[in-house]
Amino acid sequence: MKISHIEHIGIAVPSLDEAIPFYENILGLKCFAIEEVADQKVRTAFFKVGQTKIELLEGTSEDSAISKFIAKNGGRGGIQHFAFAMEDGVANALGEAEAKGCALIDKAPRKGAEGLNIAFLHPKSTCGALIELCEDPNK
Ligand code: ZN
């Protein structure tokens, strides 16, 4: 398994419309994409910071993982997950993690935002952090 960089940091927000102006007007970042990922029941907004992105996530349904995260967090957003860019692909990394006894949320890669292959490791094996393995977009 080889990680090249932190691909993105996923931040749950109650509303993209309220969060985007903070990132643009206060932090001076530019939102370059807004995308709905229907099977995750989220809308995402992306900003670049070097080669790492900030991924803002808004739930589009009460039963989305993002809406549940915000409900648990007293109605506030916060850092929900982070993603490593995998130099040798997500499928290889998943297989290696599973062989070493790591519990997986996704047994196989699936398509995430920006059409990249992604998969989540299970927090019970990662000391609590929700870690996403992401296809390296530079590859
Ligand atoms: Zn993500």
Side-chain angles (χ1 to χ4, degrees):
M1 173 163 342
K2 189 143 197 280
I3 293 168
S4 64
H5 63 281
I6 294 177
E7 211 284 326
H8 64 265
I9 299 171
I11 301 174
V13 298
S15 159
L16 285 186
D17 290 342
E18 285 174 23
I20 288 170
F22 166 75
Y23 285 85
E24 291 197 323
N25 300 334
I26 308 292
L27 298 182
L29 300 172
K30 180 86 190 89
C31 177
F32 67 88
I34 294 178
E35 184 185 342
E36 183 159 348
V37 184
D39 71 334
Q40 290 294 297
K41 299 175 182 166
V42 293
R43 267 197 336 135
T44 63
F46 282 95
F47 304 81
K48 267 205 155 174
V49 183
Q51 64 176 335
T52 299
K53 296 162 198 156
I54 301 290
E55 176 186 40
L56 301 182
L57 299 135
E58 172 195 82
T60 56
S61 161
E62 291 286 296
D63 64 343
S64 84
I66 295 303
S67 303
K68 288 178 191 165
F69 176 92
I70 288 170
K72 254 197 222 166
N73 200 34
R76 293 180 308 279
I79 294 177
Q80 196 255 351
H81 71 275
F82 61 98
F84 291 123
M86 307 309 300
E87 255 183 38
D88 49 358
V90 176
N92 285 335
L94 265 186
E96 194 179 326
E98 188 168 38
K100 289 178 175 173
C102 181
L104 311 177
I105 290 178
D106 298 301
K107 299 282 181 198
R110 58 188 167 82
K111 291 285 176 203
E114 301 188 293
L116 297 173
N117 281 323
I118 64 151
F120 284 93
L121 304 180
H122 199 291
K124 73 184 180 192
S125 288
T126 65
C127 308
L130 181 56
I131 295 176
E132 177 183 337
L133 308 178
C134 183
E135 178 186 341
D136 188 339
N138 304 316
K139 293 277 158 184

